[in-house]
Amino acid sequence: MEQKLRAALLAIQGVKIPDLPKEVLELDAVLASKFPNNQTIVSIIESNTKLSGEVMRIVNSPVMKLKVPVKSIREAVDILGSLNLKNLVLASALQNLFGSSEVVDIIDHAKDIAFCCAELSDYIQGVSRDEAYLVGLFHNAGCLLLASKDPENYPKLFHKVHANPYSGLALEVTAYGSPHNDIGILIGKKWQLPVEMLNVIMLHHREPSAISNDKIRAMNSMIQLANVVVNEVSMGAYITDESRRYMAEAQEDLMLDNNVINSVRNALIMFS
């Protein structure tokens, strides 16, 4: 693993991995206390106008499926809980940091994946919507760093890799010396993502049968299903035989029928 991370660092040499936003560090400090103060949590999020606006957008979007829209960060904390809201703060921070023109298509792709993951989480025991949204948004974080490194060429390669989810990683290794899933670990570790999510970032191009941990395998399969649905609906991509196999193995692992996949597909069409 250490050798892979060294190769990942070399692949993005010259690109700074964004620091964990100070608001997240402050939230961590509050949440680590024995009795977290909700008003302090609200104040931390509201101190960053852009961040709090993005959090409110996600909270009131179809992602969270709240029955009644919330009107303030305080309401969001009360309804979702501080730990769940922290996941949305992390998701919002990533989108704010990677908003430049060279990565806009990749971050839009990640948002659609995150939405589909949130939809699929309704059928997966032990994975909350906010957790699913966060891992969906972060799973391709390495692609954002590669696009920042090579904005002229990488976005084209991104589409080739995701059309061939098993063999496509070799294209990145040839071009940059490291695949995006290994590079994604760098930002995931720096942003202190949970170990389960780090594993999904690293393994999301692996067959489900290669993963022994039940929750990691389920989240992994969720990511794989979402990728093929998004490639088909949002990108209008031709679905290759390799993508069909990727989807079929994930669908079998999660034991989901075609009606569920169609409902997620239709939800994404409405969301987009």
Side-chain angles (χ1 to χ4, degrees):
M1 187 62 195
E2 192 175 329
Q3 188 174 353
K4 286 185 175 183
L5 292 179
R6 279 200 298 268
L9 281 168
L10 283 173
I12 58 165
Q13 193 169 23
V15 174
K16 185 181 185 297
I17 301 171
D19 293 324
L20 189 68
K22 72 177 183 63
E23 291 82 8
V24 178
L25 292 171
E26 291 169 357
L27 280 176
D28 279 339
V30 174
L31 294 172
S33 65
K34 193 171 183 180
F35 301 106
N37 184 295
N38 279 1
Q39 187 51 51
T40 303
I41 291 167
V42 170
S43 298
I44 290 168
I45 298 172
E46 288 182 339
S47 68
N48 184 322
T49 305
K50 188 175 182 182
L51 181 64
S52 59
E54 182 63 23
V55 170
M56 289 295 293
R57 186 194 68 77
I58 297 173
V59 168
N60 284 317
S61 77
V63 168
M64 297 309 298
K65 278 190 175 175
L66 296 183
K67 293 180 181 178
V68 179
V70 300
K71 298 182 177 65
S72 66
I73 294 294
R74 177 70 205 216
E75 282 187 43
V77 172
D78 290 342
I79 291 171
L80 296 175
S82 52
L83 285 172
N84 292 346
L85 194 65
K86 183 198 164 186
N87 285 340
L88 299 186
V89 170
L90 277 167
S92 302
L94 182 73
Q95 293 175 67
N96 286 340
L97 283 171
F98 286 98
S100 55
S101 58
E102 65 264 21
V103 301
V104 67
D105 287 344
I106 295 173
I107 200 70
D108 284 347
H109 180 269
K111 288 179 185 178
D112 286 345
I113 296 290
F115 172 78
C116 288
C117 286
E119 291 291 298
L120 287 166
S121 71
D122 289 345
Y123 305 92
I124 301 171
Q125 188 173 3
V127 180
S128 64
R129 290 186 73 87
D130 56 276
E131 187 178 23
Y133 186 83
L134 182 63
V135 74
L137 197 67
F138 265 89
H139 83 287
N140 271 344
C143 298
L144 297 171
L145 293 173
L146 283 171
S148 299
K149 166 84 173 179
D150 186 9
E152 186 175 346
N153 299 303
Y154 182 74
K156 301 168 194 169
L157 186 59
F158 173 84
H159 293 288
K160 292 180 183 177
V161 170
H162 287 81
N164 298 283
Y166 289 126
S167 62
L169 293 181
L171 299 174
E172 291 177 336
V173 174
T174 299
Y176 304 103
S178 180
H180 72 267
N181 53 320
D182 289 350
I183 294 168
I185 294 293
L186 298 174
I187 188 169
K189 285 172 72 71
K190 189 167 184 178
W191 281 41
Q192 302 171 20
L193 294 187
V195 171
E196 289 168 336
M197 291 193 186
L198 292 177
N199 274 283
V200 175
I201 291 171
M202 181 172 63
L203 300 172
H204 69 270
H205 285 269
R206 293 267 191 94
E207 298 91 340
S209 58
I211 302 169
S212 58
N213 180 283
D214 288 343
K215 184 174 181 180
I216 292 171
R217 186 177 65 251
M219 292 172 79
N220 214 57
S221 294
M222 175 183 73
I223 291 285
Q224 293 177 348
L225 271 176
N227 262 288
V228 180
V229 170
V230 170
N231 288 350
E232 176 191 8
V233 173
S234 298
M235 297 171 67
Y238 169 73
I239 304 302
T240 64
D241 289 342
E242 199 168 303
S243 288
R244 289 192 187 93
R245 178 186 150 210
Y246 191 65
M247 185 172 187
E249 290 180 347
Q251 186 175 347
E252 182 181 359
D253 178 58
L254 295 175
M255 296 183 289
L256 299 178
D257 61 35
N258 287 332
N259 289 332
V260 171
I261 308 305
N262 286 333
S263 72
V264 173
R265 186 181 286 113
N266 291 334
L268 177 63
I269 291 169
M270 294 294 292
F271 177 70
S272 302

